[in-house]
């Protein structure tokens, strides 16, 4: 039925099978859209957030997907700026993942902030001293860059290529990709950092507050490095997952190995910096604010196990696996370590968002608990469904993995 | 400086932040506008075919992009980076000189695996042949390998006399069962006359120069290893996924491959051999 839209030389499932695959995701997306409508039309009382627990599942989702979506900027940086040509095998996929993550985050942020018709206020009335302004500006600019980078992938479709204007535009867009990759790297550095800096400047939350390095708190740099570590792992993991689902080899094993190596090195740097930062915080920053650090871990729900899991189990362990050439060569180790890396970064963002807000800071404060409402969960799942839909459609109708044809019969 | 920013003040914070922001916006929009402007210029100055070929060549399977000198065994591994236009390749003359110094007489008994590939013709990697007529014109047709892939087409869409063809641009199309297959033009020139499959040739073309530029076309001793290379690709494409390389059975290529393999998606299957991305 849609065979004339499928790239030549690639094998795809029948249209019926494809419909069966996307229908449940479309239904999930529909439920999420309804939940978003409720929140936008009636207000945030549909959520379980309140004035004291103002950052919930959605902000956690935003931070997580933006960290995982960093594969787009970091892969682009390695390919176009550092000329690591082997990454051309996954750059399209990384861009699509980035676009999904960032657009999903922006949509959820719009629902969270509310009043989407006034979204332009943040550009018209910028508070140049706010980390959030930097995040907003960089995020929207980078989303624009990702949309432009996505355009040639869509224009690769064989039917669209029949149109000379599209063909010529695609041809020329490829030439400006290094410029866009450079801009993307610049923007990503700042918004990833500012998202971290957002927590580091919270003087009223000593659990998150950090000393400044230059004009930024240490969390600024930790978020940049951790995103650069998680991004390649997420690209690696999704590519492997797509291979498993489609039962096709899409990229050569060397590409997986290289992504794993890059992720491992960045993760090792991150774990070192995080360990130093934690030690400084335990011994200096937190006591100076009047809070012995281990008081934060007195509750079993957020005990010291969470710190150990974040830094050692899901940080140091996968980093050592990924930097070891011998272990990296074994797929089970490689993919497990990539999964652990992503889980580690997800846990870090959870700790920074949820644990920070849950812990009491004033004498009359109590430990706050929060469980998201169904509308929050549905919106969260809608982003996941949206991602699967966009990725599935792009995979079916464009050449997402240039090596796929070469590897078809292997 | 930033009159459109509400509440702008001449402070370092405002200046730095907004300068960076507008520089980024300027770079991004400038890049897109440049791409749009240049694409319009491209369409005026170049043919869409030339751009399409440049992009599609990169997307062809690696085996389809092997250099002719790798196929003949002159070099162990070399992938073409000149879109099969040896006229612009600086390495090609070196290989030619080496081949001339060590040339061996061709074995007249060595066939082309049951395919008719006359030696008086030059062959394009996209399976069109060219026969220079000596008067500045040349005859163009589809080689036997290509003809067996195409089988019996429902229609052949040939360019009208007067049409200008570009080497590696669209030459003509075959239509079969509602699917359309593009064949690349092997030379630059103007179409003088149309032929037909029954006549054994499809186009008569007057070259742009006094003699057709044919340096990029395969000839003589190159044809046999190239056909072997193409047959290997064909066997590999028809093999089952996951089996890997298997021994050939030694048979000849059937005269109508599509009829022999009715389950194969014809256009998708054939296009890599005709260098269509």
């Amino acid at each position: 039925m849609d065979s004339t839209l499928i790239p030549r030389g690639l094998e795809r499932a029948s249209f019926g099978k494809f419909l069966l695959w996307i229908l449940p995701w479309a239904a999930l997306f529909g439920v999420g859209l309804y939940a978003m409508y409720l929140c936008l039309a009636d207000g945030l009382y549909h959520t379980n957030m309140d004035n004291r627990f103002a950052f919930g599942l959605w902000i956690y989702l935003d931070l997580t997907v933006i960290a995982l979506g960093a594969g787009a900027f970091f892969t682009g940086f390695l390919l176009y700026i550092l000329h690591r040509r082997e990454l051309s095998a996954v750059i399209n996929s990384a861009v699509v993942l980035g676009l999904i993550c960032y657009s999903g985050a922006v949509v959820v942020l719009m629902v969270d902030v509310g009043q989407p018709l006034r979204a332009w206020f943040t550009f018209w009335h910028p508070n140049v001293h706010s980390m959030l302004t930097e995040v907003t500006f960089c995020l929207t600019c980078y989303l624009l860059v990702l949309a432009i980078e996505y355009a040639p992938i869509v224009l690769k479709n064989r039917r669209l290529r029949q149109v000379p204007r599209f063909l010529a535009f695609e041809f020329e867009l490829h030439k400006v990709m290094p410029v866009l990759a450079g801009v993307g790297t610049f923007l990503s550095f700042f918004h990833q950092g500012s998202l971290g800096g957002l927590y580091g400047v919270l003087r009223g939350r000593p659990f998150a507050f950090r000393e400044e390095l230059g004009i930024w708190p240490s969390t600024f740099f930790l978020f940049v490095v951790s995103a650069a570590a998680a991004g390649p792992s997420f690209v690696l993991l999704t590519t492997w997952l797509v291979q498993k689902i489609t039962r096709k080899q899409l990229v050569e094993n060397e590409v997986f190995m290289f992504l794993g190596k890059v992720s491992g090195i960045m993760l090792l740097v991150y774990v070192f910096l995080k360990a130093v930062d934690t030690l400084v915080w335990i011994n200096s920053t937190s006591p100076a604010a009047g809070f012995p650090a281990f008081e934060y871990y007195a509750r079993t729900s957020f005990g010291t196990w969470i710190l150990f899991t974040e830094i050692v189990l899901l940080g140091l362990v996968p980093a050592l696996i990924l930097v070891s050439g011998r272990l990296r060569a074994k797929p089970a180790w490689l993919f497990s370590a990539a999964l652990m890396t992503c889980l580690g970064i997800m846990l870090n963002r959870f700790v920074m968002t949820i644990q920070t807000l849950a812990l009491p800071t004033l004498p009359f404060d109590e430990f706050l608990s929060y469980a998201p409402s169904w509308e929050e969960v549905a919106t969260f799942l809608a982003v996941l469904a949206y991602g699967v839909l966009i990725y599935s459609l792009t995979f079916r109708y464009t050449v997402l993995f240039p090596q796929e044809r070469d590897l078809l019969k292997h | 400086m930033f009159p459109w920013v509400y509440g702008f003040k001449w402070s370092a914070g405002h200046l730095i932040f907004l300068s960076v922001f507008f520089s980024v916006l300027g770079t991004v929009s400038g890049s897109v506008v440049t791409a749009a402007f240049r694409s319009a210029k491209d369409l005026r100055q170049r043919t869409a075919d030339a751009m399409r070929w440049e992009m599609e060549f990169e997307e062809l399977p690696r085996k389809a992009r092997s250099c002719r000198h790798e196929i003949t065994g002159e070099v162990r591994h070399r992938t073409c980076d000149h879109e099969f236009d040896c006229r612009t390749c600086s390495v090609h003359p070196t290989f030619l000189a080496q081949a001339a110094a060590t040339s061996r007489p061709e074995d007249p008994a060595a066939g082309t695996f049951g395919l008719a590939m006359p030696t008086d013709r030059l062959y394009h990697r996209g399976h069109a042949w060219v026969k220079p007529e000596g008067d500045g014109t040349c005859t163009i047709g589809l080689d036997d390998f290509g003809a067996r892939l195409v089988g019996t087409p429902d229609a052949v869409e040939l360019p009208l006399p007067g049409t200008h063809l570009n080497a590696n641009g669209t030459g003509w199309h075959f239509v079969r069962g509602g699917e359309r297959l593009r064949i690349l033009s092997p030379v630059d020139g103007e179409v003088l006359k149309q032929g037909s499959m029954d006549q054994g040739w499809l186009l008569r073309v007057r070259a742009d120069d006094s003699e057709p530029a044919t340096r990029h076309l395969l000839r003589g001793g190159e044809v046999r290893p190239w056909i072997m290379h193409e047959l290997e690709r064909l066997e590999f494409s028809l093999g089952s996924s996951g089996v890997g390389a298997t021994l050939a059975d030694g048979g000849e290529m059937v005269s109508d491959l599509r009829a022999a393999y009715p389950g194969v998606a014809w256009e998708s299957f054939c296009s890599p051999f005709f260098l269509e991305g």
Side-chain angles (χ1 to χ4, degrees), chain A residues 8-9 124-125 133 137 141 145 148 156 158 161 167-172 179 183 186 252 405-406 409, chain B residues 4 6 20-21 28 31-32 35 38-39 42 46 48 54-56 59 61-62 236-237 239 267 271 276-277:
Chain A
R8 287 188 190 87
W124 189 250
H125 306 281
T133 303
F137 275 52
C141 282
V145 169
I148 297 166
K156 265 186 201 300
R158 60 195 268 202
R161 260 198 185 166
L167 179 87
F169 192 50
E170 183 202 345
F171 183 73
E172 289 299 338
V179 178
V183 172
F186 174 82
E252 288 170 344
R405 278 196 188 114
D406 278 336
K409 295 289 174 184
Chain B
W4 53 87
Y6 178 86
V20 170
F21 174 65
V28 173
S31 300
V32 177
R38 289 177 61 166
S39 63
D42 283 343
R46 304 177 64 183
E54 201 174 321
M55 284 192 288
E56 287 194 346
E59 293 161 14
R62 197 162 44 211
F236 200 61
S237 303
E267 191 190 1
S271 55
E276 192 170 15

Side-chain angles (χ1 to χ4, degrees), chain A residues 340-354:
Chain A
M340 287 162 78
T341 305
C342 293
L343 290 176
I345 300 307
M346 289 165 75
L347 181 62
N348 172 262
R349 297 326 191 231
F350 176 82
V351 165
M352 295 303 286
T353 311
I354 306 296

Side-chain angles (χ1 to χ4, degrees), chain A residues 108-162:
Chain A
V108 170
L109 210 54
M110 294 272 263
V111 181
D112 200 354
V113 173
Q115 299 282 8
L117 295 179
R118 296 183 187 174
W120 57 274
F121 273 37
T122 190
F123 302 101
W124 189 250
H125 306 281
N127 173 5
V128 295
H129 305 292
S130 167
M131 290 277 185
L132 267 179
T133 303
E134 198 174 309
V135 171
T136 312
F137 275 52
C138 290
L139 213 66
T140 42
C141 282
Y142 188 48
L143 184 57
L144 177 70
V145 169
L146 281 170
I148 297 166
E149 287 181 339
Y150 183 61
I153 299 174
V154 174
L155 293 176
K156 265 186 201 300
N157 177 274
R158 60 195 268 202
R159 288 292 151 200
L160 294 177
R161 260 198 185 166
Q162 306 287 341

Side-chain angles (χ1 to χ4, degrees), chain B residues 113-115 144-151 231 234 238 249 251-261 269:
Chain B
F113 310 97
L115 297 170
D144 199 17
F145 182 96
R148 292 180 194 221
L149 274 182
V150 169
L231 285 168
L234 181 70
L238 289 169
D249 64 4
E252 286 181 10
M253 191 174 170
V254 294
S255 59
D256 186 347
L257 205 77
R258 191 189 184 188
Y261 286 87
F269 177 78

